[in-house]
Amino acid sequence: MVPAGTAAADTAPAEGTPPTVSADPLPTVQVNGVVWSMTTVGNTVYATGNFTKARPAGTAPGSSKEVTRKNILAFDIRTGNLTSFNHSLNGQGLRIVRSPDGKRVYVGGEFTTVDGKAHSRLAAFDTATGKLVTAFKPKVSNKVRAIAATNKWVFFGGNFFNVNGKSRNRMAAVLASNGAVSDSWKPTADDEVFAMAISGSRVIVGGRFQKLNNAAKVGVGALNGSTGASVPWSSRPIPTRQGSKFSYVTDLTVSGDTVYGSANGEGFHWFDGRFAAKAADGELVWLDNCYGASYGVFAQGKSLYSVSHAHDCSSLGAFPETDPQTWHRALAETTAATGRDQAPPGSNSNYRRQPVPSLLHWYPTLAMGTFTKQYQAAWAVTGNSEYVAMGGEFPRVNGVAQQGLVRFATKAKAPNKSGPVKAELGTPRASRNMVTKKTTISWKATWDMDNENLTYEVLRDNGTTPIGTVKKSSNFWTKPTLTFVDENAPAGQHTYKIRVKDPFGIAVTSPASNSVG
């Protein structure tokens, strides 16, 4: 292992460090509410939530180009444009997932009809035709929050107690062909189930529960996909409830042999970061104890993207708590452990000094939304090998109006125009040593949303050819003061400017320094 925090990465990282997508927000269809969940099939993103209208990027609410999309839509991840997929849920959708073969997407939530036809809180769509699968119509008594599918079975969870007239305790399985409920898969949970994922014959479940199948298993566990019996799960990332204080799993995703989870904590410093565990037995890979509730995770290669309102990642050797508090609502980190936790454990945590990943240098700015009155930004993240998409209730991304949905692309597909932050580049200060006749120029470094390593060029007077360069890494919480010595200044008065470039040549220039000579 190497010390946490040393694997800093970006769109042009050091060799051996996973790259991130660019921080450039790509134009994407917008919604007038909130997106709770998304899934990707090929180049199509399916999104569900609580909204009634969709409109093209760059248009305002009420635009003549606005169209009806009621709680579910699809868009092309390459262009950001709506597809012809057009259906209507009469209540909000809370989770949408794909089948392993990509032939279907399943949506669950609080709705009771789809396109005016009875479909009680769970429905399926054919991805080839875009049509509602009318033969699949299980009747679920209350909200569905979690779904995981094989090509034959659909497993789901939430806060219901009856499926197709049969008693079920917050979890059930139905046939993909006709929605008939399984009589052999009847696990139980003592509180709401929020997330599910499948790995081989195991169904991994997460939520607010303290017990699975009447045995102590807090927040996350695994079940046999045929019988519903509990199967081994060794890690304990979610701390045990203490009165009104608790943590719970909000999302799960499997990539390779590892399952990644996000969590929300209710109570001061209760776990609300992310964790990774071996899907085969639940062995802990790492636990990221950043504070600030996490809502969704997506693995792309060796990078894990998450949406949250993180405000303290000192456990990873990254940004600390600030006063007043600041939030960072989209993060990327390594899928591999890189060190050990550098901060005290969270409240009632089962771990201390456990393995942790490293944050990657990717910090787009998602503005807080107000639609849900929970004052968050993104709630969901998905993608494929070339793009990452986020959905939620944010009104702007990197200061540009972009409501509810946004895309980011890998370096090869992105415009790569997100450069150094000019507003935070300090005005240089020049001082002349009258004995040595040398001039020292000092300035405060800036930072870049998706590139850690920047090149600072020192310009004399109105020159455009640098008299020297300084290369330095920085981020938004560590902006060092840099210096350069001009040893050969001609006689007379001189001023200096600093031009800073990212690896793609995107540059900003500081104001001129004071005059010295």
Side-chain angles (χ1 to χ4, degrees), residues 425-430 440-447 452 454-458 469-474 478-485 498-500:
L425 176 61
T427 299
R429 176 72 182 172
T440 299
I441 305 97
S442 61
W443 67 96
K444 185 178 181 182
T446 185
W447 67 288
E452 182 188 37
L454 302 176
T455 299
Y456 297 82
E457 298 176 335
V458 182
T469 61
V470 176
K471 294 186 177 182
K472 188 67 177 179
S473 62
S474 60
T478 305
K479 294 175 288 184
T481 295
L482 306 179
T483 60
F484 176 81
V485 177
I498 304 300
R499 184 170 62 200
V500 55

PDB file of all heavy atoms in Angstrom, residues 425-430 440-447 452 454-458 469-474 478-485 498-500:
ATOM      1  N   LEU A 425      -6.547  32.531  -9.159  1.00  0.00           N
ATOM      2  CA  LEU A 425      -5.138  32.755  -9.428  1.00  0.00           C
ATOM      3  C   LEU A 425      -4.730  34.096  -8.829  1.00  0.00           C
ATOM      4  O   LEU A 425      -5.271  35.139  -9.188  1.00  0.00           O
ATOM      5  CB  LEU A 425      -4.891  32.757 -10.941  1.00  0.00           C
ATOM      6  CG  LEU A 425      -3.465  33.084 -11.397  1.00  0.00           C
ATOM      7  CD1 LEU A 425      -2.460  32.074 -10.853  1.00  0.00           C
ATOM      8  CD2 LEU A 425      -3.396  33.136 -12.925  1.00  0.00           C
ATOM      9  N   GLY A 426      -3.786  34.067  -7.909  1.00  0.00           N
ATOM     10  CA  GLY A 426      -3.415  35.288  -7.216  1.00  0.00           C
ATOM     11  C   GLY A 426      -2.659  36.274  -8.097  1.00  0.00           C
ATOM     12  O   GLY A 426      -1.949  35.897  -9.031  1.00  0.00           O
ATOM     13  N   THR A 427      -2.847  37.548  -7.831  1.00  0.00           N
ATOM     14  CA  THR A 427      -2.054  38.584  -8.506  1.00  0.00           C
ATOM     15  C   THR A 427      -0.614  38.494  -8.008  1.00  0.00           C
ATOM     16  O   THR A 427      -0.375  38.493  -6.798  1.00  0.00           O
ATOM     17  CB  THR A 427      -2.612  39.983  -8.205  1.00  0.00           C
ATOM     18  OG1 THR A 427      -3.951  40.060  -8.694  1.00  0.00           O
ATOM     19  CG2 THR A 427      -1.766  41.066  -8.862  1.00  0.00           C
ATOM     20  N   PRO A 428       0.352  38.391  -8.916  1.00  0.00           N
ATOM     21  CA  PRO A 428       1.738  38.238  -8.462  1.00  0.00           C
ATOM     22  C   PRO A 428       2.266  39.480  -7.746  1.00  0.00           C
ATOM     23  O   PRO A 428       1.813  40.603  -7.986  1.00  0.00           O
ATOM     24  CB  PRO A 428       2.506  37.978  -9.761  1.00  0.00           C
ATOM     25  CG  PRO A 428       1.645  38.534 -10.840  1.00  0.00           C
ATOM     26  CD  PRO A 428       0.237  38.371 -10.384  1.00  0.00           C
ATOM     27  N   ARG A 429       3.229  39.228  -6.866  1.00  0.00           N
ATOM     28  CA  ARG A 429       3.907  40.302  -6.136  1.00  0.00           C
ATOM     29  C   ARG A 429       5.389  40.229  -6.474  1.00  0.00           C
ATOM     30  O   ARG A 429       6.012  39.166  -6.355  1.00  0.00           O
ATOM     31  CB  ARG A 429       3.710  40.128  -4.629  1.00  0.00           C
ATOM     32  CG  ARG A 429       4.457  41.134  -3.774  1.00  0.00           C
ATOM     33  CD  ARG A 429       3.852  42.501  -3.852  1.00  0.00           C
ATOM     34  NE  ARG A 429       4.616  43.482  -3.060  1.00  0.00           N
ATOM     35  CZ  ARG A 429       4.376  44.781  -3.077  1.00  0.00           C
ATOM     36  NH1 ARG A 429       3.377  45.264  -3.808  1.00  0.00           N
ATOM     37  NH2 ARG A 429       5.104  45.596  -2.340  1.00  0.00           N
ATOM     38  N   ALA A 430       5.942  41.333  -6.925  1.00  0.00           N
ATOM     39  CA  ALA A 430       7.356  41.376  -7.311  1.00  0.00           C
ATOM     40  C   ALA A 430       8.157  42.178  -6.300  1.00  0.00           C
ATOM     41  O   ALA A 430       7.700  43.219  -5.803  1.00  0.00           O
ATOM     42  CB  ALA A 430       7.502  41.987  -8.699  1.00  0.00           C
ATOM     43  N   THR A 440      12.307  38.737  -7.340  1.00  0.00           N
ATOM     44  CA  THR A 440      11.536  37.554  -6.943  1.00  0.00           C
ATOM     45  C   THR A 440      10.060  37.816  -7.163  1.00  0.00           C
ATOM     46  O   THR A 440       9.525  38.832  -6.690  1.00  0.00           O
ATOM     47  CB  THR A 440      11.782  37.197  -5.468  1.00  0.00           C
ATOM     48  OG1 THR A 440      13.176  36.901  -5.294  1.00  0.00           O
ATOM     49  CG2 THR A 440      10.956  35.986  -5.057  1.00  0.00           C
ATOM     50  N   ILE A 441       9.414  36.934  -7.901  1.00  0.00           N
ATOM     51  CA  ILE A 441       7.976  37.039  -8.163  1.00  0.00           C
ATOM     52  C   ILE A 441       7.287  35.921  -7.398  1.00  0.00           C
ATOM     53  O   ILE A 441       7.682  34.740  -7.498  1.00  0.00           O
ATOM     54  CB  ILE A 441       7.664  36.922  -9.670  1.00  0.00           C
ATOM     55  CG1 ILE A 441       8.461  37.974 -10.471  1.00  0.00           C
ATOM     56  CG2 ILE A 441       6.175  37.080  -9.918  1.00  0.00           C
ATOM     57  CD1 ILE A 441       9.746  37.424 -11.060  1.00  0.00           C
ATOM     58  N   SER A 442       6.286  36.253  -6.626  1.00  0.00           N
ATOM     59  CA  SER A 442       5.532  35.245  -5.866  1.00  0.00           C
ATOM     60  C   SER A 442       4.044  35.401  -6.165  1.00  0.00           C
ATOM     61  O   SER A 442       3.564  36.507  -6.432  1.00  0.00           O
ATOM     62  CB  SER A 442       5.807  35.380  -4.368  1.00  0.00           C
ATOM     63  OG  SER A 442       5.402  36.646  -3.886  1.00  0.00           O
ATOM     64  N   TRP A 443       3.326  34.293  -6.127  1.00  0.00           N
ATOM     65  CA  TRP A 443       1.891  34.320  -6.402  1.00  0.00           C
ATOM     66  C   TRP A 443       1.233  33.085  -5.798  1.00  0.00           C
ATOM     67  O   TRP A 443       1.887  32.070  -5.552  1.00  0.00           O
ATOM     68  CB  TRP A 443       1.617  34.381  -7.907  1.00  0.00           C
ATOM     69  CG  TRP A 443       2.029  33.130  -8.655  1.00  0.00           C
ATOM     70  CD1 TRP A 443       1.238  32.068  -8.992  1.00  0.00           C
ATOM     71  CD2 TRP A 443       3.347  32.810  -9.135  1.00  0.00           C
ATOM     72  NE1 TRP A 443       1.971  31.116  -9.647  1.00  0.00           N
ATOM     73  CE2 TRP A 443       3.267  31.551  -9.755  1.00  0.00           C
ATOM     74  CE3 TRP A 443       4.581  33.472  -9.101  1.00  0.00           C
ATOM     75  CZ2 TRP A 443       4.370  30.928 -10.335  1.00  0.00           C
ATOM     76  CZ3 TRP A 443       5.684  32.858  -9.668  1.00  0.00           C
ATOM     77  CH2 TRP A 443       5.572  31.597 -10.285  1.00  0.00           C
ATOM     78  N   LYS A 444      -0.051  33.180  -5.567  1.00  0.00           N
ATOM     79  CA  LYS A 444      -0.813  32.051  -5.045  1.00  0.00           C
ATOM     80  C   LYS A 444      -1.295  31.182  -6.196  1.00  0.00           C
ATOM     81  O   LYS A 444      -1.850  31.673  -7.172  1.00  0.00           O
ATOM     82  CB  LYS A 444      -2.022  32.550  -4.237  1.00  0.00           C
ATOM     83  CG  LYS A 444      -2.802  31.434  -3.546  1.00  0.00           C
ATOM     84  CD  LYS A 444      -3.956  31.997  -2.732  1.00  0.00           C
ATOM     85  CE  LYS A 444      -4.722  30.888  -2.035  1.00  0.00           C
ATOM     86  NZ  LYS A 444      -5.881  31.428  -1.261  1.00  0.00           N
ATOM     87  N   ALA A 445      -1.065  29.882  -6.086  1.00  0.00           N
ATOM     88  CA  ALA A 445      -1.478  28.942  -7.130  1.00  0.00           C
ATOM     89  C   ALA A 445      -2.991  28.894  -7.237  1.00  0.00           C
ATOM     90  O   ALA A 445      -3.717  29.209  -6.280  1.00  0.00           O
ATOM     91  CB  ALA A 445      -0.927  27.558  -6.831  1.00  0.00           C
ATOM     92  N   THR A 446      -3.475  28.496  -8.387  1.00  0.00           N
ATOM     93  CA  THR A 446      -4.896  28.229  -8.563  1.00  0.00           C
ATOM     94  C   THR A 446      -5.093  26.726  -8.676  1.00  0.00           C
ATOM     95  O   THR A 446      -4.200  25.941  -8.310  1.00  0.00           O
ATOM     96  CB  THR A 446      -5.442  28.967  -9.791  1.00  0.00           C
ATOM     97  OG1 THR A 446      -6.865  28.764  -9.842  1.00  0.00           O
ATOM     98  CG2 THR A 446      -4.802  28.488 -11.082  1.00  0.00           C
ATOM     99  N   TRP A 447      -6.230  26.281  -9.166  1.00  0.00           N
ATOM    100  CA  TRP A 447      -6.495  24.856  -9.335  1.00  0.00           C
ATOM    101  C   TRP A 447      -7.372  24.667 -10.559  1.00  0.00           C
ATOM    102  O   TRP A 447      -7.875  25.630 -11.145  1.00  0.00           O
ATOM    103  CB  TRP A 447      -7.147  24.264  -8.097  1.00  0.00           C
ATOM    104  CG  TRP A 447      -8.548  24.765  -7.832  1.00  0.00           C
ATOM    105  CD1 TRP A 447      -8.903  26.007  -7.398  1.00  0.00           C
ATOM    106  CD2 TRP A 447      -9.764  24.046  -8.005  1.00  0.00           C
ATOM    107  NE1 TRP A 447     -10.273  26.115  -7.290  1.00  0.00           N
ATOM    108  CE2 TRP A 447     -10.833  24.912  -7.658  1.00  0.00           C
ATOM    109  CE3 TRP A 447     -10.072  22.753  -8.421  1.00  0.00           C
ATOM    110  CZ2 TRP A 447     -12.165  24.518  -7.712  1.00  0.00           C
ATOM    111  CZ3 TRP A 447     -11.408  22.355  -8.464  1.00  0.00           C
ATOM    112  CH2 TRP A 447     -12.437  23.235  -8.117  1.00  0.00           C
ATOM    113  N   GLU A 452      -4.724  18.023 -12.048  1.00  0.00           N
ATOM    114  CA  GLU A 452      -4.008  18.390 -10.830  1.00  0.00           C
ATOM    115  C   GLU A 452      -2.707  19.126 -11.130  1.00  0.00           C
ATOM    116  O   GLU A 452      -2.315  20.040 -10.414  1.00  0.00           O
ATOM    117  CB  GLU A 452      -3.700  17.135 -10.018  1.00  0.00           C
ATOM    118  CG  GLU A 452      -2.997  17.444  -8.714  1.00  0.00           C
ATOM    119  CD  GLU A 452      -2.527  16.204  -7.990  1.00  0.00           C
ATOM    120  OE1 GLU A 452      -2.098  15.246  -8.666  1.00  0.00           O
ATOM    121  OE2 GLU A 452      -2.581  16.198  -6.752  1.00  0.00           O
ATOM    122  N   LEU A 454      -0.389  21.598 -13.073  1.00  0.00           N
ATOM    123  CA  LEU A 454      -0.487  22.805 -13.888  1.00  0.00           C
ATOM    124  C   LEU A 454       0.898  23.397 -14.116  1.00  0.00           C
ATOM    125  O   LEU A 454       1.814  23.210 -13.317  1.00  0.00           O
ATOM    126  CB  LEU A 454      -1.385  23.839 -13.203  1.00  0.00           C
ATOM    127  CG  LEU A 454      -2.820  23.384 -12.894  1.00  0.00           C
ATOM    128  CD1 LEU A 454      -3.562  24.473 -12.117  1.00  0.00           C
ATOM    129  CD2 LEU A 454      -3.564  23.007 -14.156  1.00  0.00           C
ATOM    130  N   THR A 455       1.021  24.134 -15.208  1.00  0.00           N
ATOM    131  CA  THR A 455       2.273  24.807 -15.545  1.00  0.00           C
ATOM    132  C   THR A 455       2.064  26.315 -15.478  1.00  0.00           C
ATOM    133  O   THR A 455       1.157  26.855 -16.131  1.00  0.00           O
ATOM    134  CB  THR A 455       2.749  24.415 -16.952  1.00  0.00           C
ATOM    135  OG1 THR A 455       2.981  23.002 -16.986  1.00  0.00           O
ATOM    136  CG2 THR A 455       4.024  25.145 -17.311  1.00  0.00           C
ATOM    137  N   TYR A 456       2.899  26.982 -14.695  1.00  0.00           N
ATOM    138  CA  TYR A 456       2.816  28.430 -14.511  1.00  0.00           C
ATOM    139  C   TYR A 456       3.953  29.083 -15.299  1.00  0.00           C
ATOM    140  O   TYR A 456       5.124  28.768 -15.084  1.00  0.00           O
ATOM    141  CB  TYR A 456       2.926  28.794 -13.031  1.00  0.00           C
ATOM    142  CG  TYR A 456       1.796  28.248 -12.204  1.00  0.00           C
ATOM    143  CD1 TYR A 456       1.823  26.928 -11.746  1.00  0.00           C
ATOM    144  CD2 TYR A 456       0.694  29.031 -11.885  1.00  0.00           C
ATOM    145  CE1 TYR A 456       0.782  26.405 -10.987  1.00  0.00           C
ATOM    146  CE2 TYR A 456      -0.352  28.518 -11.129  1.00  0.00           C
ATOM    147  CZ  TYR A 456      -0.304  27.204 -10.683  1.00  0.00           C
ATOM    148  OH  TYR A 456      -1.335  26.690  -9.934  1.00  0.00           O
ATOM    149  N   GLU A 457       3.597  29.967 -16.206  1.00  0.00           N
ATOM    150  CA  GLU A 457       4.583  30.672 -17.022  1.00  0.00           C
ATOM    151  C   GLU A 457       4.681  32.119 -16.528  1.00  0.00           C
ATOM    152  O   GLU A 457       3.658  32.794 -16.350  1.00  0.00           O
ATOM    153  CB  GLU A 457       4.180  30.653 -18.491  1.00  0.00           C
ATOM    154  CG  GLU A 457       4.100  29.238 -19.058  1.00  0.00           C
ATOM    155  CD  GLU A 457       3.616  29.210 -20.494  1.00  0.00           C
ATOM    156  OE1 GLU A 457       2.911  30.168 -20.901  1.00  0.00           O
ATOM    157  OE2 GLU A 457       3.918  28.236 -21.197  1.00  0.00           O
ATOM    158  N   VAL A 458       5.914  32.574 -16.338  1.00  0.00           N
ATOM    159  CA  VAL A 458       6.150  33.929 -15.857  1.00  0.00           C
ATOM    160  C   VAL A 458       6.401  34.831 -17.070  1.00  0.00           C
ATOM    161  O   VAL A 458       7.293  34.561 -17.884  1.00  0.00           O
ATOM    162  CB  VAL A 458       7.348  33.972 -14.898  1.00  0.00           C
ATOM    163  CG1 VAL A 458       7.544  35.407 -14.377  1.00  0.00           C
ATOM    164  CG2 VAL A 458       7.146  33.004 -13.738  1.00  0.00           C
ATOM    165  N   THR A 469       9.308  29.005 -16.143  1.00  0.00           N
ATOM    166  CA  THR A 469       8.105  28.218 -15.830  1.00  0.00           C
ATOM    167  C   THR A 469       8.267  27.535 -14.479  1.00  0.00           C
ATOM    168  O   THR A 469       9.392  27.232 -14.044  1.00  0.00           O
ATOM    169  CB  THR A 469       7.841  27.142 -16.900  1.00  0.00           C
ATOM    170  OG1 THR A 469       8.950  26.245 -16.943  1.00  0.00           O
ATOM    171  CG2 THR A 469       7.624  27.755 -18.265  1.00  0.00           C
ATOM    172  N   VAL A 470       7.125  27.298 -13.843  1.00  0.00           N
ATOM    173  CA  VAL A 470       7.065  26.544 -12.591  1.00  0.00           C
ATOM    174  C   VAL A 470       5.946  25.527 -12.741  1.00  0.00           C
ATOM    175  O   VAL A 470       4.815  25.893 -13.083  1.00  0.00           O
ATOM    176  CB  VAL A 470       6.782  27.466 -11.385  1.00  0.00           C
ATOM    177  CG1 VAL A 470       6.640  26.643 -10.111  1.00  0.00           C
ATOM    178  CG2 VAL A 470       7.883  28.502 -11.227  1.00  0.00           C
ATOM    179  N   LYS A 471       6.248  24.265 -12.492  1.00  0.00           N
ATOM    180  CA  LYS A 471       5.219  23.224 -12.548  1.00  0.00           C
ATOM    181  C   LYS A 471       4.862  22.805 -11.129  1.00  0.00           C
ATOM    182  O   LYS A 471       5.748  22.547 -10.312  1.00  0.00           O
ATOM    183  CB  LYS A 471       5.708  22.032 -13.364  1.00  0.00           C
ATOM    184  CG  LYS A 471       5.917  22.348 -14.837  1.00  0.00           C
ATOM    185  CD  LYS A 471       6.271  21.107 -15.645  1.00  0.00           C
ATOM    186  CE  LYS A 471       6.402  21.453 -17.123  1.00  0.00           C
ATOM    187  NZ  LYS A 471       6.702  20.245 -17.935  1.00  0.00           N
ATOM    188  N   LYS A 472       3.565  22.731 -10.873  1.00  0.00           N
ATOM    189  CA  LYS A 472       3.135  22.436  -9.513  1.00  0.00           C
ATOM    190  C   LYS A 472       1.754  21.796  -9.526  1.00  0.00           C
ATOM    191  O   LYS A 472       0.885  22.170 -10.310  1.00  0.00           O
ATOM    192  CB  LYS A 472       3.091  23.723  -8.680  1.00  0.00           C
ATOM    193  CG  LYS A 472       2.846  23.501  -7.201  1.00  0.00           C
ATOM    194  CD  LYS A 472       4.014  22.781  -6.533  1.00  0.00           C
ATOM    195  CE  LYS A 472       3.807  22.621  -5.044  1.00  0.00           C
ATOM    196  NZ  LYS A 472       4.925  21.894  -4.393  1.00  0.00           N
ATOM    197  N   SER A 473       1.540  20.828  -8.636  1.00  0.00           N
ATOM    198  CA  SER A 473       0.209  20.232  -8.463  1.00  0.00           C
ATOM    199  C   SER A 473      -0.546  21.018  -7.400  1.00  0.00           C
ATOM    200  O   SER A 473       0.046  21.582  -6.472  1.00  0.00           O
ATOM    201  CB  SER A 473       0.333  18.770  -8.053  1.00  0.00           C
ATOM    202  OG  SER A 473       0.997  18.660  -6.807  1.00  0.00           O
ATOM    203  N   SER A 474      -1.878  21.066  -7.556  1.00  0.00           N
ATOM    204  CA  SER A 474      -2.710  21.777  -6.590  1.00  0.00           C
ATOM    205  C   SER A 474      -4.129  21.262  -6.685  1.00  0.00           C
ATOM    206  O   SER A 474      -4.511  20.593  -7.639  1.00  0.00           O
ATOM    207  CB  SER A 474      -2.677  23.289  -6.843  1.00  0.00           C
ATOM    208  OG  SER A 474      -3.161  23.583  -8.146  1.00  0.00           O
ATOM    209  N   THR A 478      -5.692  22.909  -1.363  1.00  0.00           N
ATOM    210  CA  THR A 478      -4.250  23.110  -1.190  1.00  0.00           C
ATOM    211  C   THR A 478      -3.729  23.906  -2.372  1.00  0.00           C
ATOM    212  O   THR A 478      -3.464  23.350  -3.440  1.00  0.00           O
ATOM    213  CB  THR A 478      -3.501  21.771  -1.104  1.00  0.00           C
ATOM    214  OG1 THR A 478      -4.061  20.977  -0.064  1.00  0.00           O
ATOM    215  CG2 THR A 478      -2.025  22.006  -0.805  1.00  0.00           C
ATOM    216  N   LYS A 479      -3.617  25.225  -2.178  1.00  0.00           N
ATOM    217  CA  LYS A 479      -3.128  26.111  -3.239  1.00  0.00           C
ATOM    218  C   LYS A 479      -1.884  26.831  -2.725  1.00  0.00           C
ATOM    219  O   LYS A 479      -1.987  27.870  -2.076  1.00  0.00           O
ATOM    220  CB  LYS A 479      -4.230  27.101  -3.632  1.00  0.00           C
ATOM    221  CG  LYS A 479      -5.440  26.439  -4.295  1.00  0.00           C
ATOM    222  CD  LYS A 479      -6.561  27.412  -4.557  1.00  0.00           C
ATOM    223  CE  LYS A 479      -7.230  27.816  -3.262  1.00  0.00           C
ATOM    224  NZ  LYS A 479      -8.402  28.707  -3.472  1.00  0.00           N
ATOM    225  N   PRO A 480      -0.716  26.265  -3.008  1.00  0.00           N
ATOM    226  CA  PRO A 480       0.518  26.811  -2.430  1.00  0.00           C
ATOM    227  C   PRO A 480       0.891  28.169  -3.021  1.00  0.00           C
ATOM    228  O   PRO A 480       0.425  28.555  -4.090  1.00  0.00           O
ATOM    229  CB  PRO A 480       1.565  25.751  -2.801  1.00  0.00           C
ATOM    230  CG  PRO A 480       1.027  25.120  -4.048  1.00  0.00           C
ATOM    231  CD  PRO A 480      -0.463  25.101  -3.873  1.00  0.00           C
ATOM    232  N   THR A 481       1.755  28.872  -2.315  1.00  0.00           N
ATOM    233  CA  THR A 481       2.353  30.089  -2.850  1.00  0.00           C
ATOM    234  C   THR A 481       3.625  29.699  -3.617  1.00  0.00           C
ATOM    235  O   THR A 481       4.470  28.961  -3.100  1.00  0.00           O
ATOM    236  CB  THR A 481       2.704  31.070  -1.724  1.00  0.00           C
ATOM    237  OG1 THR A 481       1.493  31.489  -1.089  1.00  0.00           O
ATOM    238  CG2 THR A 481       3.439  32.296  -2.267  1.00  0.00           C
ATOM    239  N   LEU A 482       3.729  30.165  -4.850  1.00  0.00           N
ATOM    240  CA  LEU A 482       4.842  29.805  -5.714  1.00  0.00           C
ATOM    241  C   LEU A 482       5.742  31.011  -5.943  1.00  0.00           C
ATOM    242  O   LEU A 482       5.295  32.163  -5.835  1.00  0.00           O
ATOM    243  CB  LEU A 482       4.309  29.286  -7.054  1.00  0.00           C
ATOM    244  CG  LEU A 482       3.301  28.144  -6.972  1.00  0.00           C
ATOM    245  CD1 LEU A 482       2.831  27.756  -8.373  1.00  0.00           C
ATOM    246  CD2 LEU A 482       3.899  26.939  -6.257  1.00  0.00           C
ATOM    247  N   THR A 483       6.998  30.736  -6.272  1.00  0.00           N
ATOM    248  CA  THR A 483       7.941  31.831  -6.527  1.00  0.00           C
ATOM    249  C   THR A 483       8.808  31.520  -7.742  1.00  0.00           C
ATOM    250  O   THR A 483       9.008  30.358  -8.113  1.00  0.00           O
ATOM    251  CB  THR A 483       8.873  32.059  -5.323  1.00  0.00           C
ATOM    252  OG1 THR A 483       9.619  30.860  -5.065  1.00  0.00           O
ATOM    253  CG2 THR A 483       8.092  32.456  -4.086  1.00  0.00           C
ATOM    254  N   PHE A 484       9.293  32.592  -8.354  1.00  0.00           N
ATOM    255  CA  PHE A 484      10.257  32.493  -9.451  1.00  0.00           C
ATOM    256  C   PHE A 484      11.191  33.694  -9.346  1.00  0.00           C
ATOM    257  O   PHE A 484      10.756  34.804  -9.014  1.00  0.00           O
ATOM    258  CB  PHE A 484       9.549  32.508 -10.806  1.00  0.00           C
ATOM    259  CG  PHE A 484      10.491  32.495 -11.970  1.00  0.00           C
ATOM    260  CD1 PHE A 484      11.072  31.318 -12.407  1.00  0.00           C
ATOM    261  CD2 PHE A 484      10.829  33.683 -12.620  1.00  0.00           C
ATOM    262  CE1 PHE A 484      11.958  31.312 -13.482  1.00  0.00           C
ATOM    263  CE2 PHE A 484      11.713  33.694 -13.689  1.00  0.00           C
ATOM    264  CZ  PHE A 484      12.278  32.491 -14.122  1.00  0.00           C
ATOM    265  N   VAL A 485      12.481  33.469  -9.632  1.00  0.00           N
ATOM    266  CA  VAL A 485      13.466  34.550  -9.549  1.00  0.00           C
ATOM    267  C   VAL A 485      13.891  34.953 -10.958  1.00  0.00           C
ATOM    268  O   VAL A 485      14.400  34.134 -11.734  1.00  0.00           O
ATOM    269  CB  VAL A 485      14.691  34.125  -8.724  1.00  0.00           C
ATOM    270  CG1 VAL A 485      15.730  35.250  -8.710  1.00  0.00           C
ATOM    271  CG2 VAL A 485      14.282  33.760  -7.299  1.00  0.00           C
ATOM    272  N   ILE A 498       1.346  36.111 -14.590  1.00  0.00           N
ATOM    273  CA  ILE A 498       1.464  34.654 -14.545  1.00  0.00           C
ATOM    274  C   ILE A 498       0.417  34.058 -15.481  1.00  0.00           C
ATOM    275  O   ILE A 498      -0.786  34.345 -15.360  1.00  0.00           O
ATOM    276  CB  ILE A 498       1.250  34.104 -13.122  1.00  0.00           C
ATOM    277  CG1 ILE A 498       2.234  34.753 -12.151  1.00  0.00           C
ATOM    278  CG2 ILE A 498       1.386  32.585 -13.116  1.00  0.00           C
ATOM    279  CD1 ILE A 498       3.696  34.512 -12.485  1.00  0.00           C
ATOM    280  N   ARG A 499       0.867  33.242 -16.415  1.00  0.00           N
ATOM    281  CA  ARG A 499      -0.037  32.508 -17.303  1.00  0.00           C
ATOM    282  C   ARG A 499       0.020  31.028 -16.896  1.00  0.00           C
ATOM    283  O   ARG A 499       1.087  30.429 -16.923  1.00  0.00           O
ATOM    284  CB  ARG A 499       0.386  32.685 -18.757  1.00  0.00           C
ATOM    285  CG  ARG A 499      -0.552  32.022 -19.764  1.00  0.00           C
ATOM    286  CD  ARG A 499      -0.185  32.458 -21.183  1.00  0.00           C
ATOM    287  NE  ARG A 499       1.169  32.041 -21.556  1.00  0.00           N
ATOM    288  CZ  ARG A 499       1.884  32.592 -22.535  1.00  0.00           C
ATOM    289  NH1 ARG A 499       1.379  33.600 -23.239  1.00  0.00           N
ATOM    290  NH2 ARG A 499       3.109  32.163 -22.813  1.00  0.00           N
ATOM    291  N   VAL A 500      -1.127  30.488 -16.526  1.00  0.00           N
ATOM    292  CA  VAL A 500      -1.163  29.102 -16.047  1.00  0.00           C
ATOM    293  C   VAL A 500      -1.912  28.247 -17.055  1.00  0.00           C
ATOM    294  O   VAL A 500      -2.976  28.633 -17.548  1.00  0.00           O
ATOM    295  CB  VAL A 500      -1.778  29.006 -14.632  1.00  0.00           C
ATOM    296  CG1 VAL A 500      -3.148  29.641 -14.565  1.00  0.00           C
ATOM    297  CG2 VAL A 500      -1.848  27.560 -14.170  1.00  0.00           C
TER     298      VAL A 500
END
